[in-house]
Amino acid sequence: QVQLVESGGGLVQPGGSLSLSCAASGFTFSRSAMSWHRQAPGNERELVAVISYTGGSTNYADSVKGRFTISRDNGKNTVYLQMNSLKPEDTAVYYCKAVTPYGSNYWGKGTLVTVSS
């Protein structure tokens, strides 16, 4: 049974930091590309960051470049998103997604990040 469980969301002031984690199980994590997406109220879900299965390649949405860092630990089956210099417009539900080498896509249930003073 595939599971992706996000954690680390919460309320943070503008300019603050949060670190999200996504613990994976039930599929070959070490061979799967992983990504973080977010969806703000009234908006479509958007890609935030993606990391290759080795961790050697990453890409970011322009809106988060220089502020967010995606990483992974294949030994712990976990992908992370370090978010710094947070802005109110970063407020959203953050989801992790796995794309397996067989082309299957899996999503977590999300964790809410609220940036507000």
Side-chain angles (χ1 to χ4, degrees):
Q1 181 181 358
V2 173
Q3 282 194 313
L4 291 170
V5 181
E6 301 95 336
S7 62
L11 174 64
V12 63
Q13 292 187 344
S17 298
L18 276 178
S19 181
L20 305 184
S21 300
C22 174
S25 60
F27 64 99
T28 310
F29 178 85
S30 62
R31 299 290 293 172
S32 299
M34 298 297 298
S35 55
W36 285 95
H37 302 249
R38 67 186 181 187
Q39 187 167 18
N43 289 0
E44 293 187 352
R45 193 172 297 188
E46 62 174 355
L47 175 67
V48 174
V50 59
I51 187 167
S52 63
Y53 70 95
T54 64
S57 177
T58 58
N59 277 291
Y60 298 89
D62 288 344
S63 58
V64 307
K65 277 181 184 176
R67 300 188 297 121
F68 290 11
T69 302
I70 188 172
S71 61
R72 65 189 296 159
D73 185 336
N74 286 348
K76 295 182 178 180
N77 282 10
T78 302
V79 62
Y80 306 96
L81 185 68
Q82 177 65 40
M83 306 185 294
N84 299 328
S85 302
L86 282 160
K87 305 175 181 180
E89 51 264 43
D90 295 318
T91 295
V93 177
Y94 283 72
Y95 301 88
C96 70
K97 175 185 173 183
V99 180
T100 73
Y102 311 105
S104 298
N105 293 348
Y106 301 111
W107 290 89
K109 293 184 178 180
T111 185
L112 176 63
V113 172
T114 303
V115 185
S116 175
S117 55

